[in-house]
Amino acid sequence: MNNKPFIIGIAGGSGSGKTFFLNCFLHHFKNDEVTLVSQDDYYIPVGEMSQEENKLYNFDLPSTIDDQQFLLDIKKLIKGEVIYKKEYNFNNPLAITKILEIHPAPIIIVEGLFILHFKEIAALLDHRIFVEAEESVALARRIKRDGMERGYPEDDVTYKWHNHVVPAYKEYLLPYRETCDQLITNNFDTPDDIIKITEDISSDLKIKYLKHKAE
């Protein structure tokens, strides 16, 4: 397929600063040059998950992701089709559910914890970026995010961190670290540093890929 989009996989554990990195990266492109598809929007409904004895759900397992629909939607984007997807709101009853309208583009970014673990999805990636941070930094970010955005008590967040997040990271993501094309350490969310890194990557892509597309 001559017009196949260039697909970038961005993987990183919870609290790695992946979202900050992504936002900086996307800032360097026009809307019609790049599109983003996120694993977070492919969780199966909570009602289909099993609770643990403490009534908490474990979202940090590959089985909680509808990976076949995730794969199908990526393939639709590759074929130039628009996809429509409900935004996943976890357990936040105050959140307004949005219908995401994701358009194809010359560059597709696929991001998520398990994108390297899902073999069929990993096989579609042309370039792999691994974002990481020190564990103490990542935990602090997780506590802040889950408290503010999802309404989780800090005790629940800490429990999930030690029993769900870290084991999943070690089993389903860390083994693929060395297979990635670039490793990004983001301990500080320092805008200048991350912007410089993403600017270098995006400039290289524009020269090698978008320019080639236009010719």
Side-chain angles (χ1 to χ4, degrees):
M1 184 175 176
N2 294 331
N3 294 320
K4 178 186 178 297
F6 188 80
I7 305 177
I8 302 171
I10 300 183
S14 179
S16 64
K18 186 164 79 292
T19 299
F20 184 79
F21 176 86
L22 265 169
N23 288 337
C24 290
F25 188 76
L26 291 169
H27 181 71
H28 298 295
F29 295 91
K30 298 175 184 176
N31 288 340
D32 61 353
E33 291 178 334
V34 65
T35 197
L36 170 67
V37 57
S38 174
Q39 177 190 288
D40 277 359
D41 290 311
Y42 291 87
Y43 280 101
I44 63 173
V46 169
E48 296 176 23
M49 296 184 190
S50 299
Q51 288 182 320
E52 297 182 340
E53 291 181 5
N54 57 9
K55 303 300 183 183
L56 294 179
Y57 293 102
N58 185 354
F59 289 96
D60 290 275
L61 293 171
S63 59
T64 63
I65 303 296
D66 186 350
D67 59 299
Q68 289 305 303
Q69 186 62 51
F70 192 16
L71 175 66
L72 180 62
D73 283 351
I74 296 169
K75 287 182 174 180
K76 284 182 178 179
L77 288 172
I78 291 172
K79 290 190 291 185
E81 299 177 20
V82 178
I83 59 175
Y84 298 91
K85 188 80 184 67
K86 275 188 179 181
E87 185 178 44
Y88 197 88
N89 290 322
F90 293 87
N91 71 337
N92 188 348
L94 301 178
I96 299 172
T97 300
K98 300 176 184 176
I99 300 297
L100 304 175
E101 185 175 323
I102 305 173
H103 289 261
I107 294 174
I108 297 173
I109 297 177
V110 178
E111 72 88 13
L113 178 64
F114 304 127
I115 61 169
L116 303 177
H117 174 76
F118 295 134
K119 301 301 182 188
E120 291 179 287
I121 291 175
L124 296 175
L125 306 177
D126 298 305
H127 189 80
R128 303 178 179 195
I129 297 173
F130 191 103
V131 184
E132 60 186 355
E134 293 177 3
E135 186 172 336
S136 59
V137 173
L139 175 56
R141 287 172 176 160
R142 173 86 177 214
I143 290 171
K144 181 178 179 181
R145 183 203 70 184
D146 280 5
M148 292 177 62
E149 296 180 13
R150 300 176 184 173
Y152 294 143
E154 186 171 331
D155 287 348
D156 286 358
V157 178
T158 304
Y159 171 88
K160 288 182 177 182
W161 180 265
H162 293 294
N163 294 279
H164 300 170
V165 177
V166 173
Y169 176 79
K170 290 180 178 178
E171 183 171 357
Y172 302 114
L173 180 55
L174 194 57
Y176 304 101
R177 181 180 184 273
E178 301 307 319
T179 71
C180 292
D181 300 286
Q182 287 180 285
L183 303 178
I184 308 296
T185 300
N186 183 15
N187 286 322
F188 304 107
D189 275 350
T190 306
D192 289 347
D193 291 347
I194 300 301
I195 288 170
K196 179 64 171 65
I197 292 169
T198 56
E199 186 174 23
D200 289 345
I201 298 171
S202 60
S203 295
D204 189 51
L205 280 171
K206 287 178 181 180
I207 292 169
K208 291 181 178 178
Y209 199 71
L210 292 178
K211 183 179 178 182
H212 173 71
K213 281 279 194 184
E215 292 175 348

